[in-house]
Amino acid sequence: MNYMPGTASLIQDIDKKHLVLLRDGRTLIGFLRSIDQFANLVLHQTVERIHVGKKYGDIPRGIFVVRGENVVLLGEI
């Protein structure tokens, strides 16, 4: 596998389920559909996960566009 610097290395992760942690503390889970050179993301079938103590709930959000500068963490589930 060839290593490509920056967001180009995320191309292999398109159409996989990801967890995204945002700068404002929100947690999103959805299928990565698109990325660009600024790490802007498009998530499909997105849910926002809310944690209260040891319990959590999911709020459906649909298609979600995330500006790259707001992404703290991105990981495949």
Side-chain angles (χ1 to χ4, degrees):
M1 177 171 78
N2 293 334
Y3 173 76
M4 298 181 72
T7 57
S9 62
L10 289 173
I11 290 184
Q12 63 193 10
D13 290 332
I14 289 192
D15 293 333
K16 294 181 182 174
K17 197 171 198 178
H18 283 76
L19 178 139
V20 181
L21 181 62
L22 301 180
R23 244 179 18 181
D24 64 2
R26 287 187 286 175
T27 302
L28 304 173
I29 297 172
F31 291 92
L32 183 64
R33 295 296 186 211
S34 181
I35 58 166
D36 67 6
Q37 70 269 25
F38 303 109
N40 296 323
L41 310 173
V42 176
L43 299 172
H44 183 249
Q45 295 179 353
T46 307
V47 294
E48 181 178 350
R49 182 156 286 177
I50 307 290
H51 295 273
V52 178
K54 293 185 178 183
K55 298 184 180 186
Y56 66 88
D58 290 339
I59 302 170
R61 297 292 187 200
I63 296 176
F64 212 91
V65 178
V66 181
R67 189 173 168 112
E69 66 183 22
N70 293 319
V71 175
V72 174
L73 179 135
L74 173 70
E76 185 180 350
I77 296 181

